[in-house]
Amino acid sequence: FSVVFPSSLVSNLNEFELQLLSITVNAILSKPQGRLGNFSEQNILEIIKDIGEHLPENSFKQTLRDYYKYRIGKNDTFNFPENSVMANIIVFLMKLNGHDQINKMLVAKNIHNRQIAFLLYGAYLGFANMPKTFTNIIFDSDNTELFSYIDNYLFNNYINQKL
């Protein structure tokens, strides 16, 4: 998939973090949750493997290996990553049951760039499956710039192609 991230997000990331995020989003988009409540442990393990297969040998790949071993019960402990991009990915993988759980863990661990975890959550769930309490934040706001961005994106990528 070709994913374009907002400049407000990528301006804070280095090349390796952006690569990690792109690989992660593509892995998630290739194995979405599907029907609401259809959470699959096997699907998550496949997402982790897919991310790892596309990463070069580096600390991110090692962190992912460690988390995979922890998740399947081969390791008793897991050292939480200090890098905010990797930390957001791990939080997403740990707390798939809801955006409120994701937010609580992000706050508790003082993780920055929290929008990354929610980006991954949205990619995994799909817009139609997002809870109303999550989407109301968007639709109940007065953010005309956000509405314009959404409208233009939908028109340019979906509606205009069918005309």
Side-chain angles (χ1 to χ4, degrees), residues 35-88:
R35 294 183 49 155
L36 186 60
N38 194 19
F39 167 74
S40 162
E41 180 66 18
Q42 186 59 38
N43 195 26
I44 297 306
L45 293 175
E46 288 176 21
I47 289 171
I48 296 169
K49 285 181 195 175
D50 194 29
I51 297 167
E53 287 173 1
H54 291 91
L55 281 177
E57 282 298 329
N58 58 26
S59 62
F60 295 147
K61 189 167 191 162
Q62 186 57 50
T63 299
L64 206 58
R65 277 188 191 117
D66 293 344
Y67 179 67
Y68 183 85
K69 289 177 186 176
Y70 174 75
R71 184 135 187 162
I72 64 171
K74 284 193 175 182
N75 287 352
D76 293 334
T77 60
F78 174 71
N79 294 323
F80 215 82
E82 291 184 24
N83 178 277
S84 69
V85 175
M86 192 73 211
N88 274 282

Side-chain angles (χ1 to χ4, degrees), residues 1 5 33 49 68 74 80 85 89 101 120 128 136 141:
F1 299 97
F5 300 109
Q33 178 187 25
K49 285 181 195 175
Y68 183 85
K74 284 193 175 182
F80 215 82
V85 175
I89 293 168
Q101 290 182 12
L120 301 175
N136 278 350
S141 78

Side-chain angles (χ1 to χ4, degrees), residues 72-162:
I72 64 171
K74 284 193 175 182
N75 287 352
D76 293 334
T77 60
F78 174 71
N79 294 323
F80 215 82
E82 291 184 24
N83 178 277
S84 69
V85 175
M86 192 73 211
N88 274 282
I89 293 168
I90 297 298
V91 168
F92 159 74
L93 293 167
M94 286 181 161
K95 300 295 182 181
L96 287 169
N97 294 329
H99 68 280
D100 54 333
Q101 290 182 12
I102 291 172
N103 192 52
K104 284 179 187 177
M105 188 167 201
L106 292 170
V107 170
K109 297 227 173 250
N110 195 28
I111 298 170
H112 301 287
N113 296 323
R114 295 179 186 150
Q115 67 271 34
I116 293 172
F118 295 112
L119 177 147
L120 301 175
Y121 175 71
Y124 184 66
L125 252 58
F127 188 79
N129 289 333
M130 286 186 186
K132 188 176 178 182
T133 54
F134 190 77
T135 57
N136 278 350
I137 295 168
I138 297 168
F139 295 117
D140 289 347
S141 78
D142 293 327
N143 190 338
T144 56
E145 185 178 329
L146 176 62
F147 292 144
S148 179
Y149 177 83
I150 292 170
D151 289 344
N152 289 332
Y153 180 85
L154 291 173
F155 182 79
N156 293 330
N157 292 288
Y158 297 102
I159 299 168
N160 196 28
Q161 292 178 356
K162 293 182 180 181

